[in-house]
Amino acid sequence: MPPADQQAPRPGPQPYVPPVPPPPHRPTGPANRRGIVVIAAAAAVLLVLALLAVLYVVTNLGGDDAPSGQQTQQPGTSAAPEDGGEGGPGEGDGPATPGTGAMEATSADGLARVKVLDVECDQTTIPSREVQVQANGHYCVLDVDFTNLSDAPVLLDHEAQGVRTELQQEVVADRPSRIEEQESLWEAVQPGETATGIMVFTLHVGEYPEALVFRHDRFAEPVEVLLKSAD
């Protein structure tokens, strides 16, 4: 056993060292919060775009069926013209403003359209008639286009046509003369066709028409077309 002075010193008691506490929790910084906001906004935008895409698809699918359902004309509506001719029917379903040169209307049942191209009054003789107008009277001649919007031929009856005067009286059209009845207006008008001719009315001197009272059938509801008479 080595001498006492050569023996290694024994370690003495060590002081108590408490454990190091964990670092305190740091709240989310502004940069982290900004990133969360950006992600949430992007998700909201994607959701809105997805909803808009769904609405677009649904709308287009519904719109594709519309043309096929519009091929059948319903009562009370007017068919659009296919020829698109200048000044042709289809420019309006109601009476035009007097003086526009396009005085027209469509019947309530949607089966006929009438258009007055011209109005000439104060005439004692007209080329289509050999007989002079009666005393104290004058002829009012309406140049008329009639379009048959029904699915059957239509033959107009002159006794079903009239004009409403300033005195709110209806005057029936004169019977077409032999020359006038050769015009297409007084012949059978086939479905979809337009006929042209004149309607002649005998009025008292000083009496003028305010509207054409048109009936495509004797029992049809009349439609009034406002007129601008040449008085």
Side-chain angles (χ1 to χ4, degrees), residues 24-100:
H25 175 71
R26 294 182 179 180
T28 304
N32 292 336
R33 289 198 297 268
R34 188 179 302 110
I36 294 174
V37 172
V38 170
I39 294 174
V45 171
L46 291 176
L47 179 60
V48 171
L49 292 177
L51 291 176
L52 291 177
V54 172
L55 290 176
Y56 176 79
V57 173
V58 172
T59 302
N60 284 349
L61 290 177
D64 292 340
D65 298 336
S68 61
Q70 294 175 355
Q71 297 299 322
T72 302
Q73 182 184 340
Q74 298 298 327
T77 60
S78 59
E82 297 180 357
D83 54 2
E86 181 181 358
E91 298 176 1
D93 291 341
T97 303
T100 61

Side-chain angles (χ1 to χ4, degrees), residues 136-147:
N136 298 325
H138 66 110
Y139 288 128
C140 270
V141 181
L142 276 59
D143 191 0
V144 176
D145 275 359
F146 162 62
T147 301

Side-chain angles (χ1 to χ4, degrees), residues 16-190:
Y16 173 75
V17 179
V20 179
H25 175 71
R26 294 182 179 180
T28 304
N32 292 336
R33 289 198 297 268
R34 188 179 302 110
I36 294 174
V37 172
V38 170
I39 294 174
V45 171
L46 291 176
L47 179 60
V48 171
L49 292 177
L51 291 176
L52 291 177
V54 172
L55 290 176
Y56 176 79
V57 173
V58 172
T59 302
N60 284 349
L61 290 177
D64 292 340
D65 298 336
S68 61
Q70 294 175 355
Q71 297 299 322
T72 302
Q73 182 184 340
Q74 298 298 327
T77 60
S78 59
E82 297 180 357
D83 54 2
E86 181 181 358
E91 298 176 1
D93 291 341
T97 303
T100 61
M103 302 168 285
E104 62 181 296
T106 302
S107 61
D109 55 14
L111 300 180
R113 183 184 297 119
V114 60
K115 181 175 182 180
V116 180
L117 305 177
D118 191 23
V119 181
E120 293 291 340
C121 295
D122 292 322
Q123 302 184 71
T124 56
T125 59
I126 53 178
S128 61
R129 300 196 171 197
E130 300 176 353
V131 180
Q132 189 173 4
V133 71
Q134 62 187 18
N136 298 325
H138 66 110
Y139 288 128
C140 270
V141 181
L142 276 59
D143 191 0
V144 176
D145 275 359
F146 162 62
T147 301
N148 181 7
L149 302 178
S150 69
D151 55 2
V154 173
L155 182 62
L156 295 181
D157 183 357
H158 76 278
E159 294 183 349
Q161 319 307 323
V163 289
R164 176 171 53 81
T165 67
E166 298 166 327
L167 300 178
Q168 304 303 311
Q169 296 178 346
E170 182 176 341
V171 179
V172 178
D174 295 351
R175 177 184 295 275
S177 66
R178 288 179 297 177
I179 296 177
E180 295 163 2
E181 65 183 4
Q182 296 177 7
E183 298 173 331
S184 59
L185 181 66
W186 301 111
E187 298 178 348
V189 183
Q190 300 301 316

Side-chain angles (χ1 to χ4, degrees), residues 2-19:
D5 56 353
Q6 293 181 359
Q7 293 180 1
R10 293 181 178 179
Q14 298 295 324
Y16 173 75
V17 179

